[in-house]
Amino acid sequence: MELEQFLSIFFSILPSVIIGLVAYYFFKMHTANEEGRRRYLIHKEAQKNAMPLRLQAYERMVLFLERINPAKLLIRITPQSSNKHDYEEYLIAQIEQEYEHNLTQQIYISAECWDIITTAKNATIQLIRKSNMSDKVDSANKLREVMLTDLFDKQSPSSIAVAYLKNEVSGLWQE
């Protein structure tokens, strides 16, 4: 008799337990779904606000790379004297000044992109130093001439970095 009472109670409680478990499961799913929806909306709003800042950072970095492009740099910055070492130092100082002016932009672009920009800057400085060490260079104007001649054979580091930035910006639209 006790077994029958136990089974009777068990079978009368069983539907309540099943309904309780199903309700708990659905409530848990609903809560998780709402949390995901809230996170999505917050992320979407943050993206909407951050996108203009990121695009502006990419624009500034392209401008930086264009300004340190040796062909444009040599046209924009003319030698003050015929001393090739003074001109070399002046060109490098201008590049470093431009770089320091844009340091804060790295928070808006990817680390890999920033590394490429820094590499382009350093490669441009190396190009200036290497050209200045050439035996053909005996004056500031000759340094300009040798550097421009060297650029006819290959792409400048800035051009390569700009191409990378353009590719990365095009990827922003797919996020």
Side-chain angles (χ1 to χ4, degrees):
M1 189 119 128
E2 288 181 15
L3 183 62
E4 284 180 21
Q5 284 180 330
F6 174 75
L7 287 176
S8 172
I9 294 172
F10 177 74
F11 285 124
S12 62
I13 294 176
L14 183 63
S16 300
V17 171
I18 291 173
I19 290 174
L21 289 174
V22 169
Y24 173 77
Y25 174 75
F26 281 120
F27 181 72
K28 187 175 176 184
M29 274 185 32
H30 176 72
T31 306
N33 187 29
E34 281 298 309
E35 180 65 26
R37 189 178 69 78
R38 276 190 231 113
R39 285 180 194 241
Y40 171 75
L41 291 174
I42 290 169
H43 178 72
K44 184 179 172 184
E45 186 66 26
Q47 281 288 92
K48 188 172 98 177
N49 294 332
M51 185 62 82
L53 294 173
R54 290 186 74 194
L55 288 174
Q56 185 179 32
Y58 282 105
E59 289 170 1
R60 287 183 59 100
M61 296 320 300
V62 168
L63 179 62
F64 164 73
L65 290 167
E66 289 295 333
R67 288 181 60 81
I68 70 165
N69 186 329
K72 295 173 183 161
L73 182 70
L74 295 172
I75 292 169
R76 194 176 75 251
I77 301 175
T78 56
Q80 303 297 323
S81 70
S82 63
N83 186 327
K84 67 179 190 171
H85 296 292
D86 288 347
Y87 188 53
E88 171 192 6
E89 291 305 315
Y90 186 60
L91 289 172
I92 292 170
Q94 291 297 310
I95 292 170
E96 291 292 348
Q97 183 180 1
E98 288 277 342
Y99 182 75
E100 289 173 10
H101 183 71
N102 289 294
L103 277 175
T104 58
Q105 301 307 312
Q106 67 184 297
I107 64 173
Y108 298 110
I109 61 178
S110 71
E112 184 179 351
C113 188
W114 184 255
D115 290 342
I116 287 172
I117 291 167
T118 303
T119 301
K121 174 197 74 106
N122 292 335
T124 302
I125 291 172
Q126 284 303 111
L127 179 70
I128 294 168
R129 288 192 169 135
K130 182 181 171 191
S131 296
N132 197 28
M133 287 195 255
S134 172
D135 295 334
K136 300 182 232 176
V137 176
D138 58 358
S139 69
N141 283 324
K142 193 67 176 172
L143 173 60
R144 292 174 82 192
E145 183 182 316
V146 167
M147 284 183 62
L148 288 172
T149 305
D150 287 347
L151 288 174
F152 285 133
D153 300 337
K154 58 185 175 184
Q155 268 190 318
S156 70
S158 296
S159 300
I160 296 167
V162 166
Y164 183 85
L165 260 71
K166 286 179 181 179
N167 188 38
E168 190 161 305
V169 167
S170 70
L172 290 176
W173 307 119
Q174 297 165 1
E175 287 182 1

